Amino acid sequence: MSTQTLPQGDPTAPATDAPFLRLSGVSKVYRTEGMETLALSDIDLAVAPGEFIAVMGPSGSGKSTLLHIMGLLDDCTHGRVELDGRTMDTLGDRALARIRNEEIGFVFQTFHLVSDLKVLDNVEIPLLYRPGLRGRRRAWARQALERVGLQARMGHFPAQLSGGQQQRVAIARAIVGSPRLLLADEPTGNLDSTMGDEIMAILEGLNREQGTTIIMVTHDEKLARRAGRIVRLFDGRQVQ
Amino acid sequence: MLKSTLILSLKILGRRKFFTFVSLFGICFTLVALMLVAAIIDHSFAARGPESDLDRMLLAGRMVMSGPRSTWNGYAGWGFLDRYARDLPGVDAMTVFSVTGRISTFAGANKVTLSVRHADAEYWRLFHFRFLEGAPFTEADVDEVRRVAVINEATRRRVFGEAEAVGRTLELGSERYRVVGVVEDVSVLRLLTTGDVYLPLSLRLTPQSRARLMGSYMAAFRLDGSLPPGEIQAEFASRLEHVEFEDPERYDSLRGRLMTRLDVIALGIVGGDVDENRTPLLGVILAAGTLLFMALPALNLTNVNMSRIFERSSEIGVRKAFGASARHLAGQFLLENAVLCVLGGLLSYGITLLVLDAVERSGLIPHASFSVEPAVFLWGLLAALVFSVMSGLGPAWRMSRLPPVVALRGGDR
């Protein structure tokens, strides 16, 4: 039944010159008790639809902050963030929540699975906040788990899975709503190299087959080279 | 969305057993206590059983007679009630009856202490006892000072066993009475109608006691609806001003009020002077007491909620990252609280029924038959729901407003 099918991205969609995500002069300053810390300084970045970008840099260089701002999880102190031509800076909580729900998926280094919920329930989370899906949420969540090869673990709790399996659940959760942008913050950082390769293969598949735009923070030069472009940060500044 | 959140709430409550237990304990303790108090008040004062007309009655009883040297705080005497309280406007029937006294008898070799009440014949028309045998004593029995008695079911069982009692002789002290009727037991908390033995009032009236202004009598007045109670109470008060005293050197004023059922409760609970209206004060005390009693567990629940929600800040961050708005999250936590509260309410209802059943069986309150009115349960549940929502609102709102990235880090900002 067509309504039970997880929506697919369109890898054959014509490439456009207009960037899907654009950061213009973005800076981030953290203020704590009279002290200011510059986490990002004057970042300009344009991301085309379907790109796979790796963000690299030493610890404290602002990689995660950049990813959070691109994912609308945090706001910037200066500058502008545009997604699909729309400026994000002026949007309120509900509008930002809707964009995160429909357009963006996240994969975190520490997985951030909800320990109280079973795997299938975890994957279903993004769909809970999307109206009009009654009766289709479970089917979509199952399909997302099948896509990452975890259909046999749907009824498990996260603590019953290995690190690699948990990260695959996190990927399933990130893609279940078919976002156009997938942000992965050191997705292989807590995994051994074999599991890291598996996760990387899944991300590459999504990018290649679904046309999903992927921005991945990593410390691993080898993995970064598998991305289409590398952005390097140092002390909050873009150096490449 | 609501269904999913509801299912999610139940799953989380099931997984977080300690939190669920602590919260349910707080809710249950409060609700059970409130429902027990309500059940006892309802059992003691609601218009039901023999006192089913209580809502359209006014009562006289507690009086204070005072003078230059003495004050007599007690119940009305026959002399006052007979001379000054009859024929009040707006009253279609009046009964005079005594407070209960204790008297002993023997059932075989066993000494049995019984509670005895004297009443006029009207008593049986104003209070609707259920007769298991025979009938009430009549006006003629009272006028002729006949030694007849109505007994309750428990007395029949204790004195006569399982046999019928009507027509048999009951010995009380040195006197013998012919049993004319047996009524269903009335709880000892029903102060107007409880009793083991009911005797004609005339049996205890001597020429001296017939004239006394103070004594051990109460009167109930059934209103015909033609006048508001306030006017009848005013007429009663004006009659008090015209009371003639036998010895004005000793006593020269008599005070008292015609009271509604609520006034009697208020005077009994709050205390105070017999001519003061204590009902508003009782209302304030009950409201404040209930509020305070519920506020303590609510504050405790707020603390529990705060730590629980902070514990789940990572989950909040995840939900925000995947599209939950502040409103979604606040709603989710409030719904979890509401689910907990409804569960607690249902559990409390069951516990209350069990406790009341145990009290009934224990015989702690003789002849008690408690019930929890659905309205009391629903009001209690509603109050608990309000407090539950209030206790969850602050923490839920605070966490739902956190930027997602801060929540993901564990709410450390």
Side-chain angles (χ1 to χ4, degrees):
Chain A
M1 205 159 77
S2 62
T3 54
Q4 296 291 310
T5 306
L6 189 63
Q8 307 286 307
D10 184 3
T12 61
T16 61
D17 291 339
F20 174 54
L21 174 69
R22 183 197 291 276
L23 274 64
S24 313
V26 165
S27 299
K28 179 71 183 179
V29 178
Y30 290 114
R31 294 185 175 89
T32 49
E33 293 170 10
M35 199 174 77
E36 288 195 349
T37 308
L38 184 65
L40 285 178
S41 176
D42 203 21
I43 303 289
D44 290 306
L45 182 66
V47 180
E51 257 199 294
F52 191 149
I53 296 177
V55 180
M56 294 200 72
S59 294
S61 59
K63 306 183 295 295
S64 293
T65 302
L66 179 67
L67 206 70
H68 292 151
I69 288 172
M70 288 194 285
L72 312 179
L73 297 179
D74 204 355
D75 49 5
C76 55
T77 313
H78 303 289
R80 196 169 62 193
V81 178
E82 289 169 73
L83 189 71
D84 218 8
R86 287 173 294 172
T87 303
M88 300 289 111
D89 314 332
T90 53
L91 298 180
D93 174 70
R94 290 176 75 179
L96 288 174
R98 200 168 75 212
I99 291 169
R100 283 196 295 267
N101 180 261
E102 291 174 356
E103 306 283 0
I104 306 170
F106 297 92
V107 179
F108 304 101
Q109 181 181 1
T110 50
F111 322 136
H112 279 307
L113 298 177
V114 181
S115 59
D116 288 329
L117 300 181
K118 290 180 180 173
V119 162
L120 190 63
D121 296 320
N122 264 287
V123 175
E124 210 181 321
I125 285 175
L127 306 180
L128 293 177
Y129 306 109
R130 191 174 295 188
L133 289 184
R134 183 171 294 188
R136 284 178 284 172
R137 293 191 194 113
R138 300 302 262 186
W140 284 19
R142 279 194 195 95
Q143 286 179 33
L145 281 167
E146 281 167 21
R147 197 176 284 178
V148 297
L150 275 182
Q151 59 273 33
R153 297 282 187 270
M154 291 178 192
H156 288 62
F157 284 102
Q160 296 170 307
L161 305 180
S162 69
Q165 286 172 326
Q166 289 190 47
Q167 194 59 297
R168 281 195 276 162
V169 175
I171 292 173
R173 180 180 61 188
I175 63 172
V176 70
S178 302
R180 291 196 287 165
L181 174 63
L182 184 67
L183 301 171
D185 191 358
E186 300 195 47
T188 61
N190 278 357
L191 307 176
D192 62 32
S193 58
T194 312
M195 283 183 178
D197 277 342
E198 280 179 24
I199 297 301
M200 195 61 196
I202 292 171
L203 295 180
E204 286 171 329
L206 284 167
N207 176 248
R208 189 174 55 248
E209 291 156 23
Q210 310 290 324
T212 307
T213 306
I214 295 179
I215 301 173
M216 176 183 75
V217 166
T218 183
H219 276 109
D220 189 327
E221 189 73 40
K222 203 172 102 192
L223 290 181
R225 279 201 295 270
R226 288 163 71 171
R229 173 155 67 115
I230 298 177
V231 171
R232 292 184 193 275
L233 297 180
F234 187 80
D235 274 352
R237 293 172 201 283
Q238 188 177 344
V239 293
Q240 182 186 335
Chain B
M1 176 74 191
L2 182 69
K3 189 180 161 197
S4 309
T5 313
L6 200 63
I7 293 169
L8 179 69
S9 302
L10 289 170
K11 280 180 181 170
I12 286 173
L13 292 178
R15 287 273 287 167
R16 305 203 165 218
K17 292 185 177 63
F18 181 70
F19 160 77
T20 306
F21 169 76
V22 169
S23 304
L24 279 180
F25 182 82
I27 292 168
C28 285
F29 182 79
T30 309
L31 268 186
V32 166
L34 285 178
M35 280 196 280
L36 284 177
V37 170
I40 291 170
I41 289 177
D42 181 73
H43 172 75
S44 309
F45 302 109
R48 70 160 64 98
E51 299 174 12
S52 56
D53 277 344
L54 207 52
D55 281 338
R56 55 186 194 112
M57 281 186 184
L58 288 174
L59 306 164
R62 304 288 305 184
M63 309 286 287
V64 176
M65 188 161 70
S66 53
R69 293 192 302 272
S70 307
T71 298
W72 184 346
N73 201 326
Y75 282 91
W78 169 266
F80 166 72
L81 292 171
D82 191 47
R83 281 181 64 193
Y84 298 102
R86 292 199 184 277
D87 303 320
L88 282 168
V91 170
D92 71 2
M94 170 196 175
T95 174
V96 178
F97 50 98
S98 71
V99 296
T100 54
R102 316 287 291 174
I103 194 163
S104 296
T105 187
F106 283 89
N110 298 324
K111 187 179 173 188
V112 176
T113 301
L114 300 170
S115 139
V116 178
R117 185 190 295 281
H118 292 78
D120 59 14
E122 282 294 302
Y123 185 76
W124 306 106
R125 279 189 280 277
L126 267 75
F127 296 115
H128 309 292
F129 286 85
R130 186 165 164 253
F131 274 81
L132 305 175
E133 271 187 64
F137 48 74
T138 63
E139 216 166 321
D141 291 327
V142 178
D143 291 345
E144 302 291 326
V145 201
R146 289 176 189 149
R147 296 198 175 279
V148 290
V150 171
I151 62 173
N152 70 352
E153 195 179 358
T155 304
R156 177 178 70 178
R157 193 167 49 248
R158 290 161 81 185
V159 178
F160 302 111
E162 296 305 316
E164 287 203 349
V166 169
R168 299 180 69 175
T169 300
L170 176 72
E171 286 189 28
L172 294 175
S174 58
E175 306 292 346
R176 295 160 66 88
Y177 301 84
R178 181 170 54 86
V179 176
V180 294
V182 178
V183 292
E184 207 169 51
D185 294 331
V186 178
S187 166
V188 292
L189 296 177
R190 287 280 173 176
L191 297 181
L192 303 178
T193 51
T194 187
D196 294 320
V197 181
Y198 304 82
L199 302 174
L201 188 68
S202 51
L203 284 170
R204 66 180 281 170
L205 287 176
T206 61
Q208 291 82 10
S209 67
R210 281 178 187 274
R212 281 182 192 143
L213 296 174
M214 294 292 284
S216 55
Y217 297 100
M218 292 189 277
F221 304 84
R222 191 174 61 200
L223 312 188
D224 61 15
S226 63
L227 285 178
E231 284 192 28
I232 303 167
Q233 287 170 312
E235 169 65 17
F236 183 83
S238 80
R239 291 187 183 189
L240 278 172
E241 289 170 14
H242 299 99
V243 170
E244 292 172 12
F245 295 89
E246 194 181 325
D247 181 5
E249 295 281 304
R250 197 168 174 207
Y251 295 109
D252 59 7
S253 95
L254 189 61
R255 290 184 291 125
R257 277 181 77 228
L258 265 192
M259 291 188 263
T260 61
R261 177 171 57 111
L262 206 57
D263 294 337
V264 175
I265 301 170
L267 191 64
I269 294 175
V270 181
D273 225 345
V274 288
D275 52 357
E276 283 180 295
N277 184 359
R278 311 298 277 176
T279 308
L281 182 60
L282 176 68
V284 171
I285 289 174
L286 282 181
T290 307
L291 205 67
L292 190 67
F293 192 69
M294 296 193 76
L296 291 175
L299 284 175
N300 182 42
L301 205 58
T302 304
N303 265 339
V304 176
N305 272 326
M306 192 67 95
S307 59
R308 173 181 67 116
I309 290 175
F310 269 97
E311 200 179 281
R312 291 170 64 187
S313 65
S314 163
E315 176 193 337
I316 292 167
V318 167
R319 289 182 183 280
K320 285 200 144 199
F322 286 103
S325 64
R327 191 182 292 189
H328 280 132
L329 289 168
Q332 181 192 327
F333 284 115
L334 288 180
L335 188 69
E336 283 178 23
N337 257 22
V339 167
L340 198 61
C341 171
V342 170
L343 286 176
L346 294 173
L347 207 58
S348 305
Y349 188 60
I351 294 171
T352 305
L353 293 180
L354 287 176
V355 171
L356 290 175
D357 186 56
V359 172
E360 276 181 33
R361 285 172 190 274
S362 72
L364 204 64
I365 302 172
H367 317 316
S369 172
F370 294 106
S371 62
V372 178
E373 290 293 301
V376 170
F377 168 66
L378 291 176
W379 277 111
L381 193 60
L382 184 68
L385 199 62
V386 168
F387 274 90
S388 172
V389 167
M390 281 168 64
S391 68
L393 198 60
W397 185 246
R398 193 173 155 193
M399 283 309 285
S400 68
R401 304 299 296 174
L402 278 182
V405 70
V406 177
L408 280 168
R409 282 203 301 261
D412 56 351
R413 190 163 80 180

